[in-house]
Amino acid sequence: MSLRPRARLRAAAAGSIVALAAGSAVVMGTAQPAAAASLNFDCNVLGNPQTFPVDITSSAPAQLPTGSSTTPDLTTVVTIPAGLADALRGLLQASSFSGVIHSTTLVNDVPQAADLTVPQTGAGAPGTAIPLTATGSLAPITAGNPGDVTTLAAGAQDVVMTLVTPGGDQPLEVLCTPGADQDLTFGTITSVKDGSKTAAKAAYSAKHHAVASSAKVTSAHGIVPASGKVKFVLKRGSTAVGSVTEALNDSGKATAAFTGVRKSGSYTVVASYKGSDLLKGSKDSAGFTVH
């Protein structure tokens, strides 16, 4: 923990804090709730190295349709070990803490900064660790091609605290870096095919004994253009009486015609989109009656 020049900690108190911090360097604090990643960070406490437990969770989905985006919430819990917490409570008479964590997340090894807010947090009881819970969000992440994986990993955490004491607010900064020999990954996002929606139409011409049918295919999120083929099956009742496969045009539309449709009855055209490298398949149907 390095002290900013404007901090007004008394020299004697600071020396005592260093001594207590050294004595509690291996104290891991209270058990933390289940998290996406529970890690140890090397933190500098007034020139003295100390281990802080850090839990990181994220709302990032496990899967994301290609072309769509997500803006994950991020929660980081940095725990001040009990020995150091006692020094801050006792020597400085700190009653509460607040501040911000300048958090770094590695998104596919590319650093992304996020400022996470620490609300006013009570100092707790003597002999206990102090968990500082900070919340914020990452920048939007866009899914790539199906099968691509985006990895989220922990980077440095710069904890800037304000201690409320009888002598006034005391600013204090803790610079923390991930400890060695840990898997720093706290989330992965796998890009998957987007869903699709097929809208079928059918119109019967009694004069020509013909059916004109069409299918319009769109992606579920309206981002990925539809490509590929649609199979049209003409049914009289439950019996297939004709089929044809047509390619989608640049607008995601395919058309098909059936001729020689003379028998009376209820008919259905079933349009089945086979899907593509980027989209899942889908189907729809449209009915008509021949009198």
Side-chain angles (χ1 to χ4, degrees):
M1 186 182 296
S2 61
L3 191 61
R4 291 177 180 271
R6 66 179 183 274
R8 293 170 291 163
L9 293 176
R10 297 184 302 275
S16 299
I17 290 172
V18 170
L20 283 172
S24 63
V26 296
V27 176
M28 299 306 294
T30 57
Q32 296 298 312
S38 294
L39 304 168
N40 295 329
F41 274 66
D42 296 330
C43 302
N44 192 293
V45 182
L46 297 176
N48 182 75
Q50 186 169 181
T51 299
F52 277 42
V54 176
D55 289 323
I56 300 175
T57 58
S58 165
S59 66
Q63 295 184 333
L64 191 63
T66 184
S68 63
S69 298
T70 182
T71 304
D73 293 330
L74 188 64
T75 300
T76 297
V77 181
V78 176
T79 300
I80 302 174
L84 176 59
D86 278 342
L88 298 176
R89 282 185 292 249
L91 296 173
L92 297 181
Q93 299 179 28
S95 59
S96 65
F97 304 80
S98 63
V100 63
I101 295 178
H102 301 300
S103 175
T104 299
T105 296
L106 303 179
V107 181
N108 283 345
D109 295 325
V110 178
Q112 183 184 123
D115 286 343
L116 312 180
T117 302
V118 180
Q120 204 73 33
T121 303
T128 63
I130 303 173
L132 299 177
T133 301
T135 57
S137 61
L138 296 172
I141 296 172
T142 301
N145 292 324
D148 289 350
V149 178
T150 299
T151 300
L152 308 178
Q157 309 293 314
D158 181 3
V159 185
V160 181
M161 293 185 288
T162 298
L163 287 63
V164 177
T165 74
D169 292 349
Q170 301 284 352
L172 202 59
E173 184 175 9
V174 184
L175 300 178
C176 298
T177 56
D181 301 324
Q182 298 180 98
D183 180 3
L184 303 179
T185 301
F186 63 84
T188 57
I189 305 172
T190 301
S191 300
V192 296
K193 288 186 178 183
D194 196 6
S196 69
K197 180 180 180 180
T198 298
K201 294 183 179 179
Y204 176 68
S205 171
K207 179 179 179 179
H208 298 95
H209 307 291
V211 181
S213 58
S214 66
K216 174 71 172 178
V217 180
T218 55
S219 65
H221 290 83
I223 299 173
V224 179
S227 63
K229 296 181 178 181
V230 176
K231 182 178 182 179
F232 296 87
V233 177
L234 176 63
K235 293 183 176 182
R236 181 173 179 267
S238 60
T239 302
V241 295
S243 68
V244 63
T245 299
E246 300 290 349
L248 294 170
N249 62 19
D250 291 341
S251 299
K253 184 177 181 179
T255 59
F258 297 93
T259 59
V261 182
R262 299 175 181 275
K263 290 185 178 182
S264 61
S266 296
Y267 288 79
T268 305
V269 174
V270 179
S272 300
Y273 172 56
K274 299 176 179 296
S276 68
D277 291 341
L278 301 178
L279 296 179
K280 298 176 183 178
S282 59
K283 66 180 181 179
D284 190 27
S285 62
F288 62 92
T289 300
V290 176
H291 298 286

